[in-house]
Amino acid sequence: MEPVIFVEVLDRRNQASARTRIAVFPASIGRAYENDVLLDDRYVDPVHARLVQQEDGTVVLEDAGSRNGIRDAGTGDVIGSVAVRSGMVVRLGETRLRLVEPGHPVPAALREPRTGSLALALRQPKLAWSVVLAGVVVMGISGWLGSVGAEWASEVAGGVGAVVLLLALWAGAWAFASRIFTGHAHFTAHFAVSVGTLLVLSLAGVVMGFFRFLWPGASIWSLLGFVATAALLTVMFHTHLSLTGALGARARRLTAGAVALLITSVSFANILDDLGAFGGRLEYDANLSPAGTSLAATVSLDELLDAASEVREDVDSLAAEEQ
């Protein structure tokens, strides 16, 4: 049986960017157009190397008198000629080649996210960036409504920028894991998951605050807050894991639920400890925040002084009547 060799050109992620099937020997590799394997590399000679079949059937990769030679991709040592081993990687110029036989093992296929899943939907850049934009806008509006100083613009921009930076770092860590396991970072999708989770948690906190204000002291709100937070964190971690493709569907669900429950339980326990430190149950744990100064009606200093003068006259008049 005649040997067959596949020559793969590897990219920076160690993924095959091009494959050439070689079944007729000798076969040449180089930059010239008459080669069997054509490389676009300025450090590669017009005819740089050849694949030659020996009498015993062994295929050998040998240098064709090139200027820079053939180098071992791992050690960088120059190789004059070497018998082809399936999976071996060599470097010609700046190009790494992997030589593979037809029976070379390949990893199992990754499981695609289910149709309609959040991970699959967020792979669409338009949707992912829409989620990020919505989160940034809501954070900006929230900061604006809560601002009290004259420099509210810089305060809001600084606060939102700090949060976005932290979320980008979090998404970057997950994107690095995705690159390792799938060869694709999916940074935009991970970023959208992070921003979207914070957005939903913030909105849920606002809604829960209204309920606590209307029905203070009801322990059900703490339980509902615990369940809602655990559910949202489970969805977040599950989506991150789905994008990385590192675990199976069942393992993703179990891992995401366990991590979310652990984080939520620790936070809930800290809250209970803080309440217990005061020696009693806090009957009213909701805050009624006033509207931000940006929404309040304002007057000039002259108008304020005129109003104060009128009030003073009224008070003096009342005092004179009582005397």
Side-chain angles (χ1 to χ4, degrees):
M1 182 177 179
E2 295 297 326
V4 174
I5 299 295
F6 289 90
V7 180
E8 298 180 333
V9 179
L10 303 181
D11 59 18
R12 294 181 179 179
R13 300 191 303 271
N14 208 36
Q15 302 294 318
S17 60
R19 290 186 177 94
T20 303
R21 184 177 186 272
I22 303 298
V24 178
F25 300 92
S28 59
I29 305 172
R31 197 157 38 87
Y33 289 102
E34 65 265 20
N35 288 286
D36 298 284
V37 179
L38 182 61
L39 303 180
D40 185 13
D41 188 329
R42 57 183 176 174
Y43 298 106
V44 170
D45 283 74
V47 179
H48 196 104
R50 293 186 179 89
L51 288 168
V52 180
Q53 183 179 2
Q54 304 293 315
E55 293 182 357
D56 60 357
T58 303
V59 177
V60 174
L61 176 67
E62 60 181 27
D63 189 5
S66 64
R67 171 172 295 182
N68 296 308
I70 303 171
R71 295 183 180 272
D72 184 284
T75 64
D77 296 336
V78 177
I79 302 171
S81 64
V82 61
V84 173
R85 304 181 309 276
S86 185
M88 68 181 295
V89 181
V90 296
R91 180 166 60 83
L92 278 61
E94 293 184 335
T95 305
R96 291 185 304 141
L97 300 178
R98 181 164 55 202
L99 307 178
V100 182
E101 296 176 348
H104 189 80
V106 297
L110 298 174
R111 184 181 297 276
E112 290 185 345
R114 296 193 307 271
T115 302
S117 68
L118 182 60
L120 186 60
L122 289 177
R123 287 186 183 182
Q124 305 299 322
K126 290 183 178 180
L127 177 60
W129 283 116
S130 296
V131 172
V132 172
L133 180 61
V136 172
V137 169
V138 170
M139 284 188 286
I141 293 175
S142 177
W144 174 60
L145 293 176
S147 62
V148 295
E151 302 295 331
W152 64 268
S154 59
E155 293 177 3
V156 172
V160 173
V163 174
V164 170
L165 178 60
L166 290 175
L167 294 178
L169 292 175
W170 171 265
W174 282 103
F176 180 74
S178 296
R179 175 64 65 84
I180 293 175
F181 289 105
T182 67
H184 301 281
H186 298 306
F187 172 79
T188 305
H190 285 295
F191 194 25
V193 172
S194 307
V195 175
T197 301
L198 179 62
L199 175 61
V200 176
L201 282 173
S202 300
L203 295 177
V206 172
V207 173
M208 195 66 65
F210 278 111
F211 282 112
R212 285 178 173 176
F213 175 75
L214 294 174
W215 295 282
S219 58
I220 186 63
W221 306 126
S222 298
L223 178 60
L224 288 178
F226 175 84
V227 173
T229 302
L232 287 172
L233 291 180
T234 299
V235 172
M236 180 189 74
F237 282 111
H238 184 273
T239 307
H240 280 312
L241 290 171
S242 298
L243 289 168
T244 61
L247 301 173
R250 180 179 177 83
R252 286 198 299 267
R253 290 193 295 268
L254 293 176
T255 303
V259 173
L261 187 61
L262 177 62
I263 294 175
T264 311
S265 298
V266 172
S267 302
F268 192 66
N270 292 335
I271 294 174
L272 293 179
D273 291 340
D274 293 338
L275 294 178
F278 290 95
R281 186 168 68 90
L282 186 62
E283 296 293 337
Y284 182 71
D285 59 352
N287 297 323
L288 180 61
S289 300
T293 57
S294 56
L295 296 182
T298 59
V299 296
S300 65
L301 178 60
D302 292 336
E303 292 173 335
L304 177 62
L305 293 176
D306 292 340
S309 178
E310 293 178 1
V311 171
R312 182 175 180 177
E313 292 177 359
D314 292 340
V315 172
D316 292 341
S317 175
L318 291 174
E321 290 179 359
E322 291 180 356
Q323 292 177 356

